[in-house]
Amino acid sequence: MAENTVIGILQSEFPDFSILSEESPAVTRDSQFTWVIDPLDGTNNYVHGVPFICVSIGLAFGREAIMGVIYDPVRKELFTARKGRGASVNGTPISIAHRTTIKEAFLGVDLGYDADKGKAMLEFLRVPWPDVGGFRLMGSAALGLTYVACGRLDAYIHPCLYPWDVAAAIALVEESGGRITDWQGQPATIESRFIFAANDTLHGEFLKLIQSQSQPRFKGI
């Protein structure tokens, strides 16, 4: 099992760090450092043969994401980021796209597994349509956010995420020059559930739309 292999390596190299993984019980240590692991983000894509999946490993200090590693085994792309050190893919530096209008923006979205939030998300997407560059349902939040980091998407939005979905991707977006927050505009942490990422200009424009439409459709943001 891939997850067991990853956990085994990390425990061997960093025995004092805690571990939070999607598929296994949490390992709690007396440390502020926590490895946050998703051995396969995009499970439904994988099951149906859609080649958009990844392995996600993030390192958090408290609630702050400080390092991210995301591997796309289909394209053999290894995305890495470390706080203050920038972000890269296969060793080549990456950065966010610099389009500045919603009309140009190519937006990645996902609906999550909460039926009510998913329906509300579909309603929200009607607001900018058709005056937006395009939408794509990604099926992998970690890789969707990573595509913002490397400029393939201009923005990504999700209504219901978990630490293993975002820990690595937060570091990638921030270190590539992007802005990633919750829907109130607060900096994203590994505990943020409602996530939005883009460059500074688009982030501000889309956030206005998100906040104007999110109540009362979305509770608890």
Side-chain angles (χ1 to χ4, degrees):
M1 184 178 178
E3 184 178 58
N4 290 338
T5 300
V6 171
I7 291 174
I9 292 171
L10 292 177
Q11 286 183 318
S12 175
E13 296 293 329
F14 304 93
D16 297 329
F17 289 13
S18 298
I19 296 177
L20 180 61
S21 185
E22 181 177 18
E23 306 294 341
S24 297
V27 176
T28 303
R29 303 284 190 234
D30 187 19
S31 172
Q32 294 192 67
F33 290 100
T34 302
W35 291 108
V36 189
I37 303 163
D38 191 341
L40 178 61
D41 192 55
T43 303
N44 281 336
N45 282 352
Y46 178 79
V47 169
H48 291 89
V50 177
F52 194 78
I53 58 175
C54 70
V55 179
S56 176
I57 303 172
L59 179 62
F61 183 76
R63 298 167 62 238
E64 181 187 10
I66 60 172
M67 189 170 74
V69 177
I70 288 182
Y71 181 61
D72 176 349
V74 177
R75 295 165 188 80
K76 295 181 171 53
E77 291 183 324
L78 180 65
F79 297 89
T80 58
R82 183 176 174 184
K83 189 174 180 63
R85 301 288 184 89
S88 65
V89 56
N90 293 341
T92 300
I94 58 174
S95 66
I96 58 168
H98 297 288
R99 285 174 283 274
T100 57
T101 67
I102 290 177
K103 192 172 184 63
E104 298 176 291
F106 198 45
L107 176 64
V109 299
D110 278 304
L111 307 180
Y113 294 102
D114 183 300
D116 290 336
K117 289 184 175 66
K119 290 176 183 177
M121 189 72 182
L122 288 172
E123 286 297 311
F124 164 76
L125 294 175
R126 295 173 57 185
V127 178
W129 183 261
D131 296 320
V132 65
F135 296 123
R136 290 295 183 273
L137 286 172
M138 309 306 295
S140 166
L143 200 52
L145 287 165
T146 298
Y147 272 30
V148 174
C150 68
R152 296 172 186 171
L153 291 174
D154 296 295
Y156 179 85
I157 182 172
H158 198 294
C160 189
L161 289 173
Y162 294 89
W164 41 83
D165 298 313
V166 299
I170 289 171
L172 279 157
V173 172
E174 291 180 341
E175 289 302 310
S176 66
R179 185 178 178 196
I180 180 167
T181 70
D182 63 20
W183 289 11
Q184 297 292 353
Q186 297 302 308
T189 73
I190 65 169
E191 295 177 357
S192 299
R193 301 295 299 277
F194 294 74
I195 289 289
F196 180 62
N199 65 40
D200 278 339
T201 302
L202 280 178
H203 190 282
E205 293 300 310
F206 271 112
L207 196 61
K208 292 175 187 175
L209 289 179
I210 292 168
Q211 292 178 342
S212 69
Q213 297 296 317
S214 63
Q215 298 288 357
R217 291 175 181 164
F218 296 97
K219 302 295 185 181
I221 66 172

